[in-house]
Amino acid sequence: MRNYAQGFQPKHFLAQVHPGVNPDADKLAAEHGFESGYELVNYTYGASDWTDTSSPMLRDAEKTKTLPKATQPTLKSQNYIADTTEGRKLVANPYSHQVDTASNQLPSISRQDEVYINANEGRILKLVNGVVDYESRLVTLPAAPILFENQEQRSYTVQHCPTISLPN
């Protein structure tokens, strides 16, 4: 099993609402509609519906609106600005520590609009028809024949990188 949770959080951010650090954390949490600082910490950082999502936006969009910030500081290359059950929108993290070989700050893509397509057949159909700009995580080997067969006439490229992701 894989776990994508960050094993750390920025103290200056988390300490504001953590009762073990800030004696006024429960009072601050109550101002945002939570019973305690621990409830706010769990809402913001724990029990995400998506293992790679460090955002509370999917859990309760209305409650998220009461928070001072909808997302937390991150070392990831992208910041979530919207998250729904249909998809999420991300923008480049201006504080990203990553650079390319020419020392240009990454990511070079300033905005991503990600759409969730749960049915594998629907995902493959969108790929073959050129509706999707990029997909890497949910394309499996059984889809390879149809993708390779159509890549030339549909003007897309399939890159087979077997060492990037290994099965569980």
Side-chain angles (χ1 to χ4, degrees), residues 8 11 14 38 69 72-73 94 108 112 123 126 138 158 168:
F8 54 89
K11 183 178 180 179
L14 181 60
Y38 288 120
K69 298 223 178 271
Q72 66 192 49
S108 55
Q112 291 181 29
R123 190 171 27 260
K126 287 184 181 286
L138 299 173
V158 176
N168 289 338

XYZ file of all heavy atoms in Angstrom, residues 8 11 14 38 69 72-73 94 108 112 123 126 138 158 168:
130
model
N 5.352 15.793 7.331
C 5.704 17.031 8.019
C 4.713 18.110 7.604
O 4.058 17.993 6.584
C 7.112 17.467 7.623
C 7.280 17.571 6.132
C 6.988 18.759 5.467
C 7.692 16.488 5.383
C 7.102 18.850 4.088
C 7.812 16.580 3.991
C 7.512 17.766 3.352
N 5.492 24.446 10.673
C 5.117 24.778 12.047
C 4.424 26.138 12.130
O 3.446 26.297 12.858
C 6.349 24.758 12.945
C 6.027 25.033 14.396
C 7.247 24.950 15.276
C 6.878 25.225 16.724
N 8.040 25.123 17.593
N 0.734 25.406 10.955
C -0.006 24.463 11.790
C -0.120 24.932 13.238
O -1.152 24.741 13.876
C 0.666 23.088 11.735
C 0.026 21.966 12.528
C -1.397 21.709 12.053
C 0.853 20.708 12.405
N -8.119 20.708 17.495
C -7.826 19.380 16.944
C -8.773 19.025 15.799
O -8.372 18.406 14.822
C -7.873 18.301 18.036
C -6.701 18.369 18.987
C -6.906 18.566 20.344
C -5.394 18.255 18.522
C -5.835 18.636 21.227
C -4.312 18.337 19.390
C -4.539 18.527 20.738
O -3.480 18.610 21.599
N -7.383 30.255 4.900
C -6.788 29.781 3.652
C -7.391 28.425 3.331
O -7.523 27.581 4.205
C -5.276 29.639 3.760
C -4.553 30.934 4.045
C -3.326 31.025 3.200
C -2.592 32.308 3.410
N -2.971 33.373 2.591
N -3.008 24.622 2.187
C -1.904 24.766 3.122
C -0.603 25.004 2.361
O -0.518 24.687 1.180
C -1.777 23.496 3.948
C -1.359 22.300 3.102
C -1.498 21.004 3.832
O -2.516 20.731 4.409
N -0.473 20.194 3.824
N 0.413 25.546 3.026
C 1.725 25.644 2.378
C 2.193 24.249 1.966
O 1.914 23.268 2.638
C 2.620 26.218 3.473
C 1.690 26.890 4.419
C 0.417 26.098 4.367
N 4.355 29.599 -6.466
C 5.403 30.600 -6.682
C 6.612 30.397 -5.773
O 7.664 30.987 -6.003
C 4.701 31.928 -6.381
C 3.571 31.566 -5.478
C 3.149 30.183 -5.882
N 6.860 24.740 -15.166
C 6.768 25.653 -16.303
C 5.318 25.800 -16.771
O 5.015 26.710 -17.527
C 7.644 25.156 -17.448
O 7.309 23.827 -17.780
N -3.260 24.272 -14.327
C -3.772 22.971 -14.752
C -5.234 22.866 -14.352
O -5.591 23.181 -13.227
C -3.007 21.832 -14.058
C -1.585 21.682 -14.486
C -0.934 20.519 -13.760
O -1.571 19.546 -13.378
N 0.371 20.607 -13.564
N -12.151 7.371 -20.256
C -10.821 7.987 -20.232
C -10.063 7.652 -21.524
O -9.482 8.528 -22.168
C -10.074 7.482 -18.997
C -8.805 8.186 -18.714
C -8.171 7.836 -17.373
N -8.450 6.542 -16.799
C -9.329 6.304 -15.840
N -10.054 7.264 -15.340
N -9.499 5.084 -15.371
N -11.522 9.551 -24.515
C -11.103 10.957 -24.525
C -9.643 11.095 -24.980
O -9.300 12.022 -25.705
C -11.314 11.595 -23.154
C -12.783 11.858 -22.860
C -12.953 12.574 -21.540
C -14.401 12.815 -21.211
N -15.014 13.866 -21.979
N -3.403 7.073 -14.807
C -4.490 6.098 -14.888
C -4.568 5.360 -16.218
O -5.579 4.752 -16.524
C -5.822 6.799 -14.586
C -5.899 7.424 -13.197
C -7.169 8.232 -13.035
C -5.800 6.361 -12.120
N 2.363 8.466 -27.431
C 2.349 7.566 -26.281
C 3.800 7.329 -25.896
O 4.610 6.911 -26.722
C 1.678 6.214 -26.617
C 1.763 5.275 -25.416
C 0.244 6.420 -27.055
N 1.537 -2.106 -7.062
C 1.621 -2.285 -5.597
C 2.104 -3.665 -5.251
O 1.853 -4.622 -5.822
C 0.253 -2.075 -4.954
C -0.136 -0.622 -4.995
O 0.733 0.235 -5.117
N -1.418 -0.364 -4.887
